Amino acid sequence: MKYDYLIVGAGLYGAVFAHEAKKEGKKVLVIDRRDHIAGNVYTEEMEGINVHKYGAHIFHTNNKEVWQYVNQFAEFNRFTNSPVANYRGELYSLPFNMYTFNKMWGVVTPEEAAAKIEEQKRAAGASEPKNLEEQAISLVGTDIYEKLIKGYTEKQWGRPCRELPAFIIKRLPVRLTFDNNYFNALYQGIPQGGYTMMVSNMLEGIEVRLGVDYLEEKEELDKLADRVVYTGAIDAYFGYKLGVLEYRSVRFETEILDKPNFQGNAAVNYTDAETPWTRIIEHKWFEFGTQPKTVISREYSSEWKAGDDPYYPVNDDKNTELYEKYKKLSESEERVIFGGRLGEYRYYDMDAVIASALKRCRDELGK
Ligand code: UDP
């Protein structure tokens, strides 16, 4: 065997695993079927602006070890994510906080806001939330649910809110303070120079082959290494033999505009049901850009079908059950480690992917 590890996928999970294994003196080969590294965090320069080609990625974490870890590979700026919601031309602050409540109801104090939420929650009869709709109403009441959550969520997931798991909406903080910071995270920022450079630094000194599709050449590639770290979709690995796991995919329409400022913010969410896109990203604002032009991406959400890039696992009961069956199957693949958003079918944030790769790699290497 020429390599100790064949790592399938040059995204964050694969790059962290590769870096750690190499540090321990292992021989590592990384492959990716795309023609670039960095998976969905890939950034590409246009007009001097780092464009997040597969959607906005804002690094945020409460995990100091992970924060120190990524800071070895990039210097992070002080970007704070504060998306704006556009509901039929009305603008609201996100996440849900005193600015949002003031604009929605004219309330001035936290007590007034809390009372308004409580009143709407009671009128809706929300008790033990069993789905996203009930969870949302019990967190912020019906007005915010109708204007800022329902349309956006149903476009994003292509399913009624009553059929979606409650945990998705719990990703968003609700605050009775004037704080537009989208994340409850101690550490937050964007790697200066872009994510591609950060991942490239992780992969320094490691052999990477691009445009190589593992599942198409599995037999040959498996001969190259003792162990395989597979970060692709777990159902694809098994030829979908137990059924197809559902994902949401995303399509971007990216435009260069001959003006310095299009929307004054990195992210504007279109929360009505009629606008076909979910959000518009203006990439320069991730890095406080001063370029004369600007680059924007409209983001359209769609159901994943064969040939598309999978983005979001649909972690509802049906898919979770099917995933558990694939997971069982994966346990008999003794040479293979399954990891990452697609390999573990989990709605992972970047920091959680890194923590998971570090842990798995340390267990594997007996550290
Ligand atoms: N969400 C919403 N309105 C918004 C933003 C988010 O209803 O303006 C809901 C939606 O259901 C979404 C979830 O909150 O799927 C999580 O949002 P997040 O921003 O964490 O999603 P991501 O950035 O991972 O796409």
Side-chain angles (χ1 to χ4, degrees):
M1 293 280 183
K2 194 162 173 231
Y3 301 96
D4 296 302
Y5 291 96
L6 169 67
I7 298 186
V8 181
L12 280 179
Y13 192 99
V16 167
F17 200 108
H19 183 85
E20 293 304 297
K22 179 184 179 257
K23 214 165 68 185
E24 289 303 302
K26 302 294 179 192
K27 281 174 283 162
V28 180
L29 170 64
V30 176
I31 60 170
D32 201 295
R33 69 174 174 190
R34 286 175 171 163
D35 64 2
H36 61 73
I37 59 164
N40 280 5
V41 306
Y42 176 68
T43 49
E44 193 177 279
E45 206 185 293
M46 289 170 81
E47 304 293 333
I49 298 163
N50 289 312
V51 172
H52 295 213
K53 290 291 274 194
Y54 301 92
H57 285 82
I58 299 116
F59 199 91
H60 58 99
T61 189
N62 278 312
N63 184 328
K64 189 169 185 182
E65 190 200 344
V66 167
W67 181 243
Q68 286 171 338
Y69 189 79
V70 291
N71 273 271
Q72 300 174 78
F73 307 106
E75 210 170 302
F76 281 71
N77 71 15
R78 59 142 199 90
F79 180 80
T80 300
N81 190 28
S82 312
V84 168
N86 181 326
Y87 176 77
R88 300 182 179 163
E90 293 169 25
L91 299 183
Y92 294 92
S93 292
L94 292 174
F96 312 118
N97 71 81
M98 284 304 295
Y99 289 109
T100 329
F101 306 138
N102 173 259
K103 177 94 191 244
M104 187 70 69
W105 299 314
V107 294
V108 169
T109 65
E111 282 85 0
E112 286 166 11
K116 196 83 193 167
I117 292 171
E118 193 52 38
E119 174 196 316
Q120 298 204 344
K121 193 174 142 177
R122 249 200 233 128
S127 52
E128 268 292 278
K130 285 181 290 298
N131 55 53
L132 196 151
E133 178 175 296
E134 293 175 10
Q135 180 68 67
I137 292 172
S138 93
L139 287 172
V140 289
T142 40
D143 287 341
I144 290 180
Y145 170 66
E146 294 291 340
K147 286 191 169 184
L148 306 184
I149 297 176
K150 189 171 192 294
Y152 185 92
T153 300
E154 295 189 346
K155 285 191 288 188
Q156 162 77 12
W157 294 97
R159 287 156 178 76
C161 288
R162 297 192 67 83
E163 288 173 21
L164 286 165
F167 84 86
I168 294 177
I169 198 70
K170 285 205 244 163
R171 288 169 60 83
L172 268 62
V174 177
R175 301 196 186 104
L176 294 171
T177 56
F178 290 91
D179 180 359
N180 287 332
N181 183 356
Y182 199 63
F183 301 118
N184 282 323
L186 277 173
Y187 311 102
Q188 181 170 186
I190 303 284
Q192 289 179 34
Y195 285 93
T196 305
M197 196 191 285
M198 178 179 96
V199 175
S200 166
N201 289 338
M202 289 176 173
L203 292 171
E204 201 187 309
I206 294 169
E207 187 181 344
V208 179
R209 296 187 200 165
L210 297 172
V212 179
D213 190 324
Y214 174 69
L215 296 177
E216 269 175 19
E217 304 171 44
K218 186 169 182 308
E219 210 173 306
E220 287 307 302
L221 290 165
D222 279 344
K223 289 183 194 145
L224 298 179
D226 293 324
R227 306 267 288 153
V228 175
V229 177
Y230 176 82
T231 71
I234 189 168
D235 54 343
Y237 181 93
F238 291 105
Y240 305 102
K241 68 180 175 194
L242 303 178
V244 179
L245 287 166
E246 293 174 301
Y247 297 89
R248 293 297 288 173
S249 191
V250 187
R251 181 173 63 82
F252 299 95
E253 277 176 10
T254 297
E255 259 184 273
I256 299 168
L257 303 178
D258 198 10
K259 53 170 112 175
N261 190 356
F262 169 72
Q263 64 184 15
N265 203 33
V268 176
N269 294 357
Y270 285 76
T271 59
D272 63 279
E274 300 79 30
T275 306
W277 54 85
T278 51
R279 52 189 165 193
I280 301 182
I281 301 302
E282 187 168 12
H283 301 270
K284 71 193 310 179
W285 302 129
F286 290 125
E287 298 182 66
F288 317 104
T290 53
Q291 299 84 353
K293 294 191 183 183
T294 194
V295 181
I296 62 164
S297 300
R298 288 191 171 76
E299 195 171 318
Y300 299 84
S301 180
S302 62
E303 195 66 18
W304 175 86
K305 51 185 186 342
D308 295 345
D309 287 322
Y311 282 75
Y312 297 90
V314 180
N315 293 111
D316 60 9
D317 294 345
K318 182 180 87 183
N319 286 292
T320 304
E321 214 173 282
L322 181 56
Y323 167 68
E324 288 304 327
K325 290 186 189 149
Y326 276 117
K327 185 162 184 278
K328 266 245 126 57
L329 212 54
S330 74
E331 282 155 16
S332 55
E333 296 285 297
E334 279 164 16
R335 262 162 39 93
V336 186
I337 292 167
F338 292 80
R341 200 181 253 226
L342 303 177
E344 296 173 62
Y345 197 67
R346 274 185 62 183
Y347 191 178
Y348 264 140
D349 285 329
M350 289 181 279
D351 63 329
V353 166
I354 290 170
S356 153
L358 282 173
K359 178 167 190 319
R360 193 67 182 81
C361 191
R362 282 169 189 162
D363 291 348
E364 168 77 12
L365 301 171
K367 285 179 66 199

